[in-house]
Amino acid sequence: MQRQLRKLGFYTAVVLLLLFAVLPIAYAVITTFKKESELFSFGANPFIYEQGPTLEPLIFLFTDTGFPTFVWNSVVIGVFVVAITVVLAVPAAYALARLTGRWGESSGMAIFLVYLIPPTLLFIPLFRIVVWLGLANTIWSLVLVLPTITVPFCTWLLLGFFRSVPQELDEAALLDGCTRFGAFRKVVLPQALPGIGACVVFAFSLSLSNYIYSVTFISESAARNISAGVPTELIRGDVYFWPSLMAATAIVAIPLGIAYGLLFDYLVRGFQASGATEAEG
Amino acid sequence: MAILEARQLKKHFGSIHAVDGIDFRSEDGELLAILGPSGSGKSTLMRMVAGLEEPTAGDILVNGESIVGIPPRRRNVAMVFQSFALYPHITVRENIRFPLAARKVPETEQKRKIDWVTEILDIRDLLDRRPSRLSGGQSQRVALARAMVRDPDLFVFDEPLSSLDAQIRSQARGELRSLLDRTQITTLYVTHDQVEALGLADRVAVMQSGRIHQIGTPRELYDAPANLFVAGFIGDPPMNLFRQGDEIIGARPEHLIAEADLPDDVEAALHLDVEIEHLEFLGSEWLIYGLVHGGVPESGEGLRIIARERQETPRLRAGERTQLVVPRHQAQYFDARSGMRKSGPEVAVA
């Protein structure tokens, strides 16, 4: 009897959590296919279609707005930001973890502090740099500027990760006939893959969600990404195109959600390893 | 096959003199143990031989040629780490293949070598496992296999047995010794465990504060320690030390005997009036802990001794007062000021 009660409590909690996670997305998906007239009527049940579903908001989103361009721009920006971040953060973190002795500790902390400077302070000076480089109104402004956030954070994340790889492994590889680079590539890097995965996810998410740089550096619709393009095109004055807004959100969020879900165990290992060693140090 | 030699070898980290002028020369195929407490500089010495640290001064030679400045990958030195340092992301087979692949050994040769080494170490069944699924003893064999597979000139072992369970340690020690007898590869064996060093090595170098205090066979270290540090460090329980004049007299626990047992023609170096505090049963022997009340006035109050008795039942009981003596020929004499050994009882008599 008591065991059954406990089971009941457990499943109730699971269902509540599930609703908490799924309801907003489900609501977005349902709203996507709603007719305007039903959406704005007060008496209507928000979870069912009393007047039947429609594809109009989706068609509007893909044909009458820059949404496909926004998605493409976001993907290009994301790929470049991830690439730059990994290429800079991995060697930086490895070097800080291994080669600089006492300086490694304080430099790692200094790099993390850079990450804490908010973009709301940085966007004005960075805008001047972007203009000076002739990159304003192009997606390359974001490719250049977003790594200022992702590189320090990922360096810090990977620093903890590389520290958790015993130095004896590098040394064993050196004695087994590897160069310093060979030891890094063949022995250390494979141990750090979950950490690098975590960095890829972080850098990509950040490049997708960053709003302030996207809005301030790019004012041309054709060069906008999702985070700036969707709200500026689908909110016109005080008119909100709710079904199309919801469609834009769901189309981006659902595939990402599934991808993160599949990678979850792997990523948690990455973040845990990092956090654990930081706490020890 | 190699002779390892160190000449005036030094390594300073800032103001810390980790290795402070070391000279030694191994025999070909010898197992030379470096024994010292932690912080004695033995690990730094080992890392310099492996090429992981550059010496501040001095020279390291293999077969008469300096290896200082040569990167580790081009020194043919194989190391077995305390943690074994197996590569966790690849199988045992790939771990053993790693040094061969890094040295671009041809595939057929690789296969032959891996077969040979897995046969010797009896690890054929483990080849497809990941290191995380090995026990301590198995990990040690795999680490040995990885070190042996490339025919090194020199083995460097960093406490390879200390992470094993106590039960299998003595067995592993025996296996290691017979393996090294078979391969005849000169080995530098670093440890803080004197049982390991004395039990395994041909010769032992006792190290402390960056210097070698004595280098010799286990027997020499035990019977004739060069100074007070070696006298106190080698032997378990350590040597009892008594001050007398400008000398320190040392007596191994088994050389503290009851006065009645002293043969008539043997003179005693010391007469001690001892109160027995307690006894420890260790299976094959008893350890007798006592408090000295008289006989060595210069050693001060509260001096304690440990004696060893190899009897089924000890003849002494806790709380008893008894007379213990040290036969003169078994006593060790040290200069109180320098701590150095005096050459023998004759000197003390004269």
Side-chain angles (χ1 to χ4, degrees), chain A residues 192-228:
Chain A
L193 281 180
I196 293 170
C199 283
V200 168
V201 167
F202 174 81
F204 193 78
S205 313
L206 192 121
S207 80
L208 269 186
S209 64
N210 178 278
Y211 182 70
I212 185 159
Y213 291 149
S214 314
V215 168
T216 50
F217 295 168
I218 298 170
S219 49
E220 229 162 82
S221 190
R224 283 218 150 113
N225 62 356
I226 297 173
S227 62

Side-chain angles (χ1 to χ4, degrees), chain A:
Chain A
M1 185 65 203
Q2 205 191 353
R3 237 180 68 202
Q4 271 167 349
L5 260 175
R6 204 178 296 162
K7 240 180 180 174
L8 187 76
F10 174 73
Y11 283 110
T12 314
V14 168
V15 167
L16 283 175
L17 269 175
L18 196 70
L19 285 178
F20 178 74
V22 168
L23 213 56
I25 309 232
Y27 193 27
V29 173
I30 292 164
T31 308
T32 299
F33 301 103
K34 277 230 164 131
K35 288 183 177 146
E36 293 259 337
S37 51
E38 185 184 344
L39 190 67
F40 290 111
S41 88
F42 278 108
N45 182 337
F47 294 106
I48 55 168
Y49 300 105
E50 284 165 3
Q51 302 175 15
T54 171
L55 281 178
E56 230 170 86
L58 268 183
I59 295 165
F60 174 75
L61 181 68
F62 278 94
T63 54
D64 292 345
T65 72
F67 186 69
T69 320
F70 301 157
V71 172
W72 174 245
N73 286 342
S74 276
V75 169
V76 173
I77 293 167
V79 167
F80 274 95
V81 168
V82 165
I84 292 172
T85 304
V86 169
V87 165
L88 291 181
V90 168
Y94 179 61
L96 285 173
R98 283 291 191 275
L99 301 174
T100 53
R102 249 182 313 170
W103 282 96
E105 193 81 13
S106 30
S107 313
M109 196 37 75
I111 283 173
F112 184 64
L113 289 178
V114 170
Y115 165 73
L116 296 180
I117 301 174
T120 38
L121 280 181
L122 281 178
F123 82 95
I124 297 170
L126 283 176
F127 184 61
R128 299 216 36 176
I129 295 171
V130 163
V131 170
W132 179 69
L133 288 171
L135 296 178
N137 278 329
T138 68
I139 59 171
W140 306 109
S141 61
L142 294 180
V143 169
L144 183 76
V145 165
L146 288 176
T148 60
I149 313 170
T150 57
V151 170
F153 181 81
C154 290
T155 303
W156 178 78
L157 184 80
L158 286 170
L159 181 59
F161 216 89
F162 283 126
R163 279 198 192 127
S164 75
V165 178
Q167 190 155 356
E168 291 191 340
L169 286 184
D170 308 34
E171 291 173 349
L174 289 178
L175 284 162
D176 277 346
C178 289
T179 57
R180 178 58 76 179
F181 182 74
F184 171 68
R185 191 174 61 83
K186 288 185 198 148
V187 173
V188 181
L189 207 57
Q191 321 295 325
L193 281 180
I196 293 170
C199 283
V200 168
V201 167
F202 174 81
F204 193 78
S205 313
L206 192 121
S207 80
L208 269 186
S209 64
N210 178 278
Y211 182 70
I212 185 159
Y213 291 149
S214 314
V215 168
T216 50
F217 295 168
I218 298 170
S219 49
E220 229 162 82
S221 190
R224 283 218 150 113
N225 62 356
I226 297 173
S227 62
V230 168
T232 46
E233 290 246 332
L234 292 172
I235 304 172
R236 298 177 184 169
D238 60 350
V239 182
Y240 288 69
F241 291 75
W242 281 120
S244 303
L245 271 173
M246 288 299 155
T249 309
I251 287 169
V252 176
I254 290 174
L256 272 184
I258 291 171
Y260 287 0
L262 293 175
L263 285 172
F264 185 75
D265 284 341
Y266 199 61
L267 297 175
V268 166
R269 259 202 293 157
F271 282 104
Q272 271 173 346
S274 171
T277 50
E278 283 302 304
E280 275 169 31

Side-chain angles (χ1 to χ4, degrees), chain B residues 265-287:
Chain B
D265 56 338
V266 176
E267 218 185 314
L270 279 174
H271 287 269
L272 302 171
D273 179 15
V274 175
E275 179 189 345
I276 308 300
E277 291 186 313
H278 70 276
L279 294 105
E280 238 173 53
F281 175 60
L282 295 178
S284 62
E285 62 186 30
W286 290 81
L287 291 184

Side-chain angles (χ1 to χ4, degrees), chain B residues 12-297:
Chain B
H12 299 173
F13 297 102
S15 61
I16 299 163
H17 297 190
V19 172
D20 204 13
I22 274 185
D23 290 275
F24 68 81
R25 186 171 193 276
S26 80
E27 304 290 327
D28 195 359
E30 181 181 39
L31 204 173
L32 178 64
I34 307 287
L35 173 65
S38 53
S40 59
K42 57 189 193 306
S43 299
T44 309
L45 169 63
M46 171 194 72
R47 292 172 59 84
M48 284 193 282
V49 171
L52 298 170
E53 304 277 1
E54 283 297 310
T56 310
D59 210 350
I60 306 169
L61 303 100
V62 173
N63 292 332
E65 282 180 38
S66 175
I67 56 168
V68 171
I70 296 176
R73 68 177 185 279
R74 283 205 235 106
R75 302 181 184 195
N76 201 5
V77 176
M79 186 158 161
V80 175
F81 290 85
Q82 186 170 7
S83 63
F84 307 129
L86 299 178
Y87 309 126
H89 61 295
I90 48 180
T91 60
V92 167
R93 187 195 307 277
E94 293 305 312
N95 263 279
I96 299 172
R97 191 202 303 279
F98 193 93
L100 300 176
R103 276 151 211 270
K104 310 227 166 20
V105 174
E107 294 255 340
T108 48
E109 177 84 357
Q110 285 186 13
K111 198 177 165 332
R112 199 179 57 74
K113 287 252 168 99
I114 294 171
D115 284 347
W116 167 73
V117 83
T118 46
E119 185 66 43
I120 288 184
L121 286 160
D122 194 21
I123 50 173
R124 193 166 297 276
D125 303 344
L126 309 177
L127 284 176
D128 294 316
R129 289 202 201 165
R130 288 290 169 101
S132 58
R133 293 201 42 240
L134 300 176
S135 71
Q138 290 169 334
S139 300
Q140 192 226 3
R141 281 156 185 269
V142 174
L144 275 173
R146 191 177 65 183
M148 272 176 62
V149 76
R150 60 191 172 92
D151 296 326
D153 292 334
L154 211 63
F155 273 139
V156 177
F157 286 177
D158 182 12
E159 315 222 359
L161 304 180
S162 65
S163 43
L164 300 184
D165 291 339
Q167 288 95 322
I168 63 167
R169 212 177 292 170
S170 54
Q171 187 199 346
R173 205 158 59 221
E175 286 174 2
L176 191 60
R177 180 70 230 199
S178 64
L179 187 72
L180 291 171
D181 283 342
R182 217 168 351 152
T183 54
Q184 286 290 310
I185 293 171
T186 310
T187 302
L188 194 66
Y189 190 104
V190 172
T191 180
H192 69 271
D193 182 347
Q194 53 170 305
V195 178
E196 248 172 63
L198 300 178
L200 262 175
D202 297 312
R203 284 192 302 158
V204 178
V206 180
M207 227 181 134
Q208 192 228 358
S209 309
R211 292 169 181 277
I212 289 181
H213 284 246
Q214 186 175 6
I215 181 163
T217 63
R219 196 66 208 248
E220 283 165 6
L221 296 184
Y222 193 82
D223 290 345
N227 61 27
L228 284 174
F229 175 76
V230 179
F233 192 68
I234 301 284
D236 179 31
M239 187 181 273
N240 298 291
L241 297 169
F242 309 98
R243 180 158 189 146
Q244 196 169 66
D246 55 359
E247 282 182 339
I248 292 188
I249 299 177
R252 294 280 174 208
E254 58 271 30
H255 297 151
L256 276 177
I257 58 174
E259 196 169 27
D261 293 343
L262 188 72
D264 289 337
D265 56 338
V266 176
E267 218 185 314
L270 279 174
H271 287 269
L272 302 171
D273 179 15
V274 175
E275 179 189 345
I276 308 300
E277 291 186 313
H278 70 276
L279 294 105
E280 238 173 53
F281 175 60
L282 295 178
S284 62
E285 62 186 30
W286 290 81
L287 291 184
I288 298 154
Y289 293 76
L291 179 65
V292 179
H293 284 292
V296 279

